[in-house]
Amino acid sequence: MNMVSLTRNERDNAEGPRAIVDPALLKSAMRTVSGAVSVITAGAGTDRTGATVTSATALSMEPPTMIVNINRSSSTFPVISRYGHFCVNILGHEHQAIANRFAGIGGTKGEARYEGANWLTRLSGAPVLHGALASIDCVVEEIIERHSHGIILGRVVEVTIGDGRSLVYSNGRYGAFTPLNASDFA
């Protein structure tokens, strides 16, 4: 097990001692968390773009609200801000190529990320992946800008549910979720 000790600043402030942590260390720690892969989509026509994330989650069920965190320097952030909508497209294990395109692997940008898949438009106007495990269409309620990211709260206006196995990402690799059986614990 790798252990890294943290150093403390010499001075305390009103918040108490502040640890100095290398951002790469936090990134490495968070890569150990397995997460469902989603593509966040926004825009219309030639002004469509999106990003691959593992950080989309429900903020509340009453009222139905989603939360996503998008880097403010990404091409996706200003499009979500401008259009006031986004869709969380939860990917199945067969969607790895889509995840890679929206992650920018191979240099794919903007509208080109939508090639090779069937996209629909739902209530908010955001692009929705036909055949996703689930698509959660949202209208932006609030954007909170903190540090490098925007914390985007979206009121859910429509949900589409498909079927299949989730595409999962952990430690730089994709996998497919396979449920355990009770006999696996015996």
Side-chain angles (χ1 to χ4, degrees):
M1 173 175 11
N2 288 335
M3 299 278 297
V4 177
S5 61
L6 302 178
T7 60
R8 301 249 180 228
N9 269 343
E10 293 294 323
R11 60 187 179 119
D12 291 348
N13 61 24
E15 299 165 359
R18 298 187 70 146
I20 300 171
V21 177
D22 179 354
L25 182 61
L26 177 58
K27 185 175 183 177
S28 292
M30 294 309 299
R31 285 180 68 137
T32 67
V33 177
S34 297
V37 180
S38 298
V39 167
I40 307 302
T41 54
T46 60
D47 196 26
R48 294 183 298 176
T49 192
T52 300
V53 303
T54 56
S55 60
T57 190
L59 175 66
S60 69
M61 297 301 135
E62 293 290 332
T65 307
M66 292 295 292
I67 184 170
V68 296
N69 304 305
I70 302 291
N71 193 312
R72 295 187 307 145
S73 68
S74 78
S75 63
T76 306
F77 183 76
V79 174
I80 291 173
S81 297
R82 186 167 49 254
Y83 282 85
H85 69 216
F86 64 92
C87 185
V88 177
N89 297 279
I90 302 169
L91 302 183
H93 74 283
E94 70 278 10
H95 297 129
Q96 182 175 336
I98 293 170
N100 284 338
R101 276 198 308 277
F102 278 84
I105 294 173
T108 308
K109 297 181 186 261
E111 186 184 22
R113 292 179 174 178
Y114 288 83
E115 293 174 6
N118 187 10
W119 298 91
L120 311 168
T121 302
R122 296 285 192 215
L123 194 57
S124 79
V128 176
L129 176 62
H130 178 72
L133 285 186
S135 294
I136 306 167
D137 192 23
C138 300
V139 174
V140 173
E141 277 189 348
E142 183 176 3
I143 298 175
I144 303 162
E145 294 187 25
R146 289 292 184 273
H147 309 294
S148 61
H149 281 65
I151 303 160
I152 304 170
L153 307 179
R155 179 174 42 87
V156 177
V157 295
E158 189 171 14
V159 175
T160 304
I161 307 229
D163 62 357
R165 294 187 312 153
S166 293
L167 181 62
V168 178
Y169 188 80
S170 180
N171 279 316
R173 297 178 61 196
Y174 291 110
F177 176 75
T178 303
L180 298 174
N181 297 315
S183 62
D184 295 331
F185 299 103

